[in-house]
Amino acid sequence: MNEINVPRPNSLDAYWMPFSDNKYFKGDTSRMLARAEGMSYYTPEGKEILDGTAGLWCCNAGHGRVEIKEAIQKQAAILDYAPTFQLGHPIAFEAAARIAEMTPEGMDRVFFTNSGSESADTALKIALAYHRARGEAGRVRMIGRERGYHGVGFGGMSVGGIGGNRKQFGALLPYVDHLPSTHLPAKNAFSRGLPQHGVELADVLENLVALHGAETIAAVMVEPVAGSTGVLVPPVGYLKRLREICDKYGILLIFDEVITGFGRIGTNFGAERLEVTPDIMTMAKGLTNAAVPMGAVAVKNGVYDAVVDGVAGGIEFFHGYTYSGHPLAAAAAIATMQLHQSEDLPGRARAIEPYWQDAMHSMRDAPNVIDIRDFGLIGGIELASRPGKPGARAMDVFRRCFDAGVLVRVTADIVALSPPLIVEKPHIDRIVGTLADAIRAEAA
């Protein structure tokens, strides 16, 4: 019998870690996670780390949910994998139907992917296919937003507007332009919820229409609340204005709901809370509580009909993935959505939001805090950068928090928080208390 080569836990060379300082981590492995349950991770040594970030914005129902685990196990014993190219399996259709029950009215068609990045690129391709099917093949331009994040595929990265994610890779997709960021710290610093200033920034879309011509623009893609770029909350009326302008010129509006979906801001999707229905909506993360990778794109029925009915016969949309609608992912998604409904996780988030908001803004007078932003169960605490060392201050705070038993997330010099939706007041007190102590210790 051949010897099985079992990877050893102290062998770190093979794994090229994503979005990480590989050299630093592999020289200091004290921040390993080995187990998770409820609101917490545990290190290999058994130390508890309270999860202030829902993993990576994704474990909305908390960790180790038995209902999801058992659904995956049961499905693995029945059907481990089946292709969905010209074939189907029942559980994928059930998962899509359950998603359609949660999406805004009239968005009843669901295309499965495996991640938020794939969802973003899929949404862009759907927009192109839609206009071509309607005889407007000249609509090829995509409009994103500065400081937007739509994953790391070439489509989403091109439409996105985070410089660090783009500059390393040279030329990206052509025919892309960007709206300005809605971040106006001089007017909106320390806003509670939606900031009051900035609705006029949506009118820049009118300028882009004048520059390029409406007949060349396929879609506008934005996050209802930008998360990965540092918690940028839309100004009052901003998204409604974008919707109006898109309708005026026949431009599709795409919401990237990878973070804001599945209860994060107190409703099933951000579109519901913010009272704006897009034409296309991307999702991932909370869809399966991160137990199995899965993403999806929901579209208005008219978008689906235009693409599918625009072809007399045969394949209508030349796109898809080997793992689209994977049986184990579908099982995890169904179990997750059942949990969201039975435990009313969006309602729980909405109920505790005022306490969360007060806790976030209690750090206003901490050293080097220059802004605090919040919406739903999301918080962003922006720190003044050290001269010549952008990002260093927040990274120091991140490490101090972890060592003190709380997981936070940093992007540049912004500490981002997004706990599981099962969070309770003592958890919030501990997260905020530990973070405030770390900010003060860093400034000492």
Side-chain angles (χ1 to χ4, degrees):
M1 181 179 293
N2 294 330
E3 181 180 353
I4 298 174
N5 183 18
V6 179
R8 291 171 172 78
N10 62 347
S11 177
L12 306 179
D13 292 342
Y15 182 29
W16 189 344
M17 299 169 65
F19 277 111
S20 299
D21 183 341
N22 278 256
K23 294 187 295 296
Y24 179 92
F25 184 90
K26 293 175 182 181
D28 176 7
T29 60
S30 62
R31 298 180 183 89
M32 286 276 197
L33 303 174
R35 184 173 68 86
E37 183 179 356
M39 279 291 300
S40 298
Y41 285 104
Y42 295 85
T43 70
E45 298 76 26
K47 178 182 177 180
E48 183 203 7
I49 307 294
L50 180 61
D51 186 2
T53 62
L56 202 59
W57 311 87
C58 48
C59 300
N60 291 353
H63 297 280
R65 297 304 301 258
V66 172
E67 300 90 340
I68 301 173
K69 178 190 72 174
E70 290 181 347
I72 296 168
Q73 290 173 330
K74 179 180 178 181
Q75 183 58 42
I78 297 171
L79 178 67
D80 57 349
Y81 172 74
T84 51
F85 294 6
Q86 305 289 3
L87 296 167
H89 58 86
I91 197 166
F93 290 93
E94 181 182 350
R98 288 181 178 270
I99 292 172
E101 291 175 355
M102 299 176 69
T103 53
E105 184 177 356
M107 298 192 78
D108 300 327
R109 302 293 182 263
V110 178
F111 192 103
F112 282 120
T113 71
N114 308 289
S115 67
S117 293
E118 290 181 0
S119 292
D121 281 22
T122 297
L124 297 175
K125 292 174 79 172
I126 289 173
L128 294 174
Y130 166 80
H131 288 297
R132 180 174 288 273
R134 296 176 65 253
E136 295 188 81
R139 287 187 181 262
V140 296
R141 189 174 300 279
M142 302 294 178
I143 307 297
R145 189 168 57 189
E146 295 171 359
R147 292 188 68 171
Y149 179 72
H150 306 295
V152 293
F154 270 94
M157 187 170 59
S158 299
V159 177
I162 299 178
N165 289 3
R166 296 163 54 92
K167 64 185 180 183
Q168 192 172 20
F169 306 107
L172 301 176
L173 294 187
Y175 312 120
V176 174
D177 211 331
H178 291 83
L179 295 164
S181 166
T182 59
H183 187 43
L184 298 173
K187 294 182 177 180
N188 291 327
F190 299 101
S191 291
R192 287 174 170 255
L194 302 183
Q196 294 299 311
H197 303 284
V199 62
E200 70 280 357
L201 294 171
D203 292 333
V204 176
L205 181 56
E206 290 274 11
N207 299 340
L208 296 180
V209 169
L211 175 64
H212 301 296
E215 71 280 3
T216 72
I217 301 175
V220 173
M221 188 175 200
V222 296
E223 302 149 280
V225 179
S228 296
T229 192
V231 185
L232 304 183
V233 183
V236 173
Y238 172 85
L239 294 174
K240 291 181 179 180
R241 184 77 64 85
L242 274 187
R243 176 74 276 180
E244 292 168 359
I245 299 172
C246 286
D247 287 343
K248 179 179 177 181
Y249 294 107
I251 299 168
L252 295 179
L253 179 60
I254 304 172
F255 275 4
D256 185 332
E257 294 247 21
V258 170
I259 284 176
T260 50
F262 301 100
R264 174 54 53 191
I265 60 173
T267 49
N268 286 334
F269 292 95
E272 181 182 350
R273 174 87 183 260
L274 295 162
E275 300 179 332
V276 178
T277 301
D279 302 292
I280 302 174
M281 175 191 297
T282 69
M283 62 192 80
K285 293 190 184 292
L287 172 57
T288 63
N289 207 49
V292 181
M294 191 180 213
V297 180
V299 304
K300 281 186 174 178
N301 300 346
V303 172
Y304 172 88
D305 291 343
V307 175
V308 173
D309 294 343
V311 177
I315 296 171
E316 303 102 355
F317 185 47
F318 283 81
H319 177 69
Y321 303 96
T322 299
Y323 303 121
S324 291
H326 192 285
L328 303 191
I334 292 167
T336 299
M337 286 183 278
Q338 288 174 333
L339 273 177
H340 274 255
Q341 182 177 16
S342 65
E343 298 186 3
D344 188 17
L345 294 183
R348 288 183 63 168
R350 196 71 175 265
I352 205 168
E353 182 179 347
Y355 191 88
W356 171 259
Q357 184 177 80
D358 288 343
M360 289 299 98
H361 287 271
S362 72
M363 292 180 279
R364 175 169 184 159
D365 295 327
N368 298 310
V369 172
I370 59 174
D371 193 13
I372 295 174
R373 304 180 282 274
D374 73 273
F375 194 62
L377 281 189
I378 304 175
I381 300 88
E382 186 158 2
L383 307 175
S385 298
R386 292 173 183 162
K389 296 181 179 179
R393 191 185 301 280
M395 182 55 67
D396 184 64
V397 168
F398 162 80
R399 291 168 180 157
R400 288 178 184 273
C401 284
F402 189 96
D403 295 344
V406 171
L407 179 64
V408 302
R409 172 162 166 71
V410 298
T411 172
D413 271 307
I414 300 159
V415 180
L417 297 171
S418 57
L421 307 185
I422 61 171
V423 68
E424 297 179 352
K425 291 178 180 180
H427 299 130
I428 294 174
D429 294 342
R430 182 174 158 195
I431 291 168
V432 172
T434 301
L435 176 56
D437 288 344
I439 291 173
R440 286 191 290 267
E442 183 281 327

